[in-house]
Amino acid sequence: MNFPLDKQMVDQTCRDFGLVDAHQLGQASIRQMVGVIKEIEAKAGCEFVHMELGNPGLPAEKVGVNAQIEALKAGVANQYPIIVGIEPLRHWASEFIKAFFNLEIPEDCIAPCVGSMQGCFALDILIKQLRPERNTLLFIDPCFPVQKQQCKVLGVDIDTLELGDYRGEKLGPALEAKLKEGKIGAVLFSNPNNPSWMCLSEDELKTIGELADRYDVVIIEDSAYLNMDVRDPKRGQPYQAPYQPTVGHYTHNCVHMVSCSKIFSYAGERAAVIAVDPVLAKRCFPALAKRYNNDGQFMRTLVYQALYVLSSGTPHSVQYAMAALFEASCKGELKYVENGREYARRANRIKDIMLRNGFHIVYDIDTNNQKVSDGFFFTFGYRDWTGEQLLNKIIYYGISAITLSSTGALREGMRGCASAIREDQFDELEKRLARFNADFKDYKFES
């Protein structure tokens, strides 16, 4: 296949998806971009190197698949699932959190949800209603773009704090300045961070937890990439330190999202649990009591009001899959942490290829001056180009990713995902990037 691709064809395909041309790709949603890329592939007869969508690149864990099949054979498909979750799931989710976070979250403080996306949406609903004067969700950026889109849908105000600029001792004053305003109802972050793959340290999490108590805000900790920081080879043994770092060690004002999508490669079944600290779970809020004519308890309102109206429960059979996955992990039969190290291997190879061909890693340094871990996501840039400028050019070379600006990042560049890269694509990626660099190493944009 000859690169670059035909500009007229690429631009017309973008217009067919409601964009002006390839210059607008940076403003497209991730799923919209996926549609554009698939159409370009069909028209050009070439395969892209896909780095835009965070699909797992490993097979779904068989212990979950087998448990789900058995549940379907047993006839659960004709029964509405209990809204609070089946007992085996709540039990093993509680054990899983104890085994890998070293946290005590009782079964009655855990509920299944249709992926972390639904869990976050339900929490956004509740945060907006807990205290009407605090209708703002603070994102520790950069972040997963769709989480902000959820806030737009619900009318929840958004504020942001760029993590890359406030590491270590700088984080506390910057965060407190935001919380002092009295508008923040909750703070949301992922750890490791999507897209930068930076990881919050224990000291940073302690700071966040202490400020959550001081200003009485809810912390939403998205653990979609649980134990996928590969820098510590001892990480990931059930009931043994080192555990996944968590804000839950430093505050009771927190909710944990534990997703099966990445750690168990179970993204297609949309399976996750919400685990609420028991102190917050049992806390009653007058505004909730008034709205729903109940006692205003956080956990009951979350489950019976917010989650219930969104989907009337999490699919029955996948709850058995989750229970089996959590159980096997707790017993050491499923080495999900070791399996996930494959993503770090792929990311390391991709980064090396990029560095050899004129690219750089945008978020390269973590806290304490450590090198950012290799993992599921990584960030890259080219010269002093903006992310939009880079996307608009690299698309013609059969390479797709998303702009960092779409994630709220203040740094310019793109987010890549290592999961979908096959072994036979590394050489092809090198060829395309080498051609790209040869074509653009001296290129100047018109001012």
Side-chain angles (χ1 to χ4, degrees):
M1 183 69 200
N2 292 324
F3 294 98
L5 297 171
D6 180 70
K7 178 175 173 54
Q8 185 176 355
M9 180 272 292
V10 172
D11 286 351
Q12 183 58 52
T13 304
C14 290
R15 286 192 287 271
D16 291 343
F17 278 79
L19 305 172
V20 174
D21 54 28
H23 286 280
Q24 270 205 329
L25 269 175
Q27 301 171 32
S29 70
I30 297 175
R31 297 305 174 105
Q32 191 176 14
M33 180 177 289
V34 170
V36 170
I37 299 306
K38 285 185 178 295
E39 188 67 18
I40 293 173
E41 285 180 318
K43 289 180 178 178
C46 76
E47 182 181 27
F48 267 60
V49 177
H50 287 276
M51 297 190 293
E52 77 279 8
L53 183 62
N55 259 329
L58 303 175
E61 293 291 356
K62 290 184 178 179
V63 64
V65 174
N66 292 337
Q68 191 167 358
I69 290 171
E70 290 305 311
L72 288 168
K73 287 181 177 178
V76 302
N78 76 331
Q79 297 293 312
Y80 284 115
I82 184 171
I83 191 71
V84 297
I86 61 172
E87 195 282 329
L89 171 57
R90 285 184 292 152
H91 171 76
W92 285 111
S94 177
E95 280 298 312
F96 183 84
I97 291 167
K98 183 189 300 182
F100 294 101
F101 289 90
N102 195 28
L103 288 175
E104 297 283 348
I105 307 288
E107 295 177 19
D108 61 357
C109 297
I110 295 172
C113 52
V114 185
S116 289
M117 282 288 294
Q118 189 202 41
C120 284
F121 196 73
L123 288 166
D124 290 348
I125 293 171
L126 223 59
I127 294 304
K128 179 179 171 66
Q129 298 170 357
L130 287 183
R131 289 163 291 211
E133 72 279 7
R134 296 197 190 183
N135 182 31
T136 301
L137 180 57
L138 176 65
F139 288 85
I140 297 183
D141 275 347
C143 75
F144 181 39
V146 188
Q147 289 174 326
K148 287 180 181 173
Q149 183 64 28
Q150 290 180 322
C151 289
K152 291 180 182 179
V153 169
L154 291 169
V156 176
D157 293 337
I158 295 171
D159 199 355
T160 63
L161 180 66
E162 165 69 40
L163 178 61
D165 292 341
Y166 300 103
R167 301 310 307 268
E169 294 179 356
K170 296 179 181 179
L171 179 61
L175 179 57
E176 186 165 19
K178 296 283 188 180
L179 301 184
K180 273 183 177 179
E181 297 175 2
K183 299 177 182 178
I184 307 298
V187 178
L188 188 151
F189 62 82
S190 60
N191 192 31
N193 173 266
N194 172 9
S196 73
W197 214 247
M198 293 183 293
C199 295
L200 289 161
S201 68
E202 288 286 354
D203 287 342
E204 290 170 326
L205 290 165
K206 182 179 180 182
T207 295
I208 294 171
E210 290 174 347
L211 289 173
D213 286 347
R214 188 178 306 166
Y215 292 95
D216 194 22
V217 299
V218 176
I219 306 298
I220 304 172
E221 184 176 72
D222 184 355
S223 298
Y225 315 102
L226 172 66
N227 276 322
M228 292 177 75
D229 178 0
V230 301
R231 290 173 295 188
D232 190 339
K234 296 180 181 178
R235 176 84 72 84
Q237 298 300 316
Y239 305 102
Q240 295 180 35
Y243 295 97
Q244 166 71 27
T246 173
V247 74
H249 292 151
Y250 308 107
T251 181
H252 292 297
N253 280 342
C254 59
V255 182
H256 311 274
M257 302 300 310
V258 182
S259 169
C260 295
S261 294
K262 305 302 191 299
I263 62 175
F264 299 129
S265 300
Y266 231 75
E269 296 303 289
R270 312 306 303 124
V273 295
I274 303 175
V276 184
D277 183 281
V279 174
L280 175 61
K282 293 175 172 54
R283 183 175 170 184
C284 295
F285 291 83
L288 295 182
K290 182 178 179 180
R291 174 181 286 269
Y292 295 110
N293 195 30
N294 60 14
D295 62 359
Q297 193 202 69
F298 187 94
M299 190 69 195
R300 276 195 291 268
T301 307
L302 173 65
V303 173
Y304 291 109
Q305 305 298 333
L307 281 175
Y308 177 56
V309 301
L310 292 177
S311 65
S312 191
T314 299
H316 213 157
S317 63
V318 81
Q319 294 193 43
Y320 287 90
M322 281 195 281
L325 290 163
F326 290 144
E327 178 181 5
S329 300
C330 290
K331 293 180 177 179
E333 298 166 356
L334 173 56
K335 309 290 186 182
Y336 77 92
V337 177
E338 189 61 35
N339 295 345
R341 292 180 182 274
E342 169 61 18
Y343 296 127
R345 185 191 71 83
R346 296 180 191 180
N348 183 264
R349 289 190 65 181
I350 297 168
K351 288 180 182 179
D352 283 347
I353 291 170
M354 288 187 159
L355 292 172
R356 284 197 297 271
N357 290 284
F359 291 77
H360 61 271
I361 306 305
V362 177
Y363 287 93
D364 57 342
I365 301 299
D366 214 336
T367 190
N368 298 323
N369 209 35
Q370 284 185 301
K371 182 181 177 182
V372 166
S373 172
D374 295 323
F376 198 81
F377 293 116
F378 59 94
T379 59
F380 64 97
Y382 186 73
R383 297 172 54 195
D384 60 350
W385 294 13
T386 67
E388 284 77 8
Q389 288 171 334
L390 179 52
L391 174 59
N392 177 245
K393 298 299 184 185
I394 206 168
I395 195 77
Y396 299 102
Y397 292 77
I399 298 168
S400 54
I402 69 168
T403 62
L404 283 177
S405 61
S406 70
T407 72
L410 297 182
R411 301 182 188 183
E412 290 291 350
M414 302 187 73
R415 183 201 79 175
C417 182
S419 64
I421 307 295
R422 303 189 309 269
E423 197 67 28
D424 63 297
Q425 290 184 305
F426 289 108
D427 288 344
E428 182 63 25
L429 177 63
E430 177 110 46
K431 291 177 184 177
R432 296 184 191 186
L433 291 180
R435 174 63 190 274
F436 179 92
N437 190 39
D439 289 347
F440 290 106
K441 62 183 179 180
D442 298 318
Y443 182 84
K444 295 185 185 302
F445 286 95
E446 294 181 7
S447 57

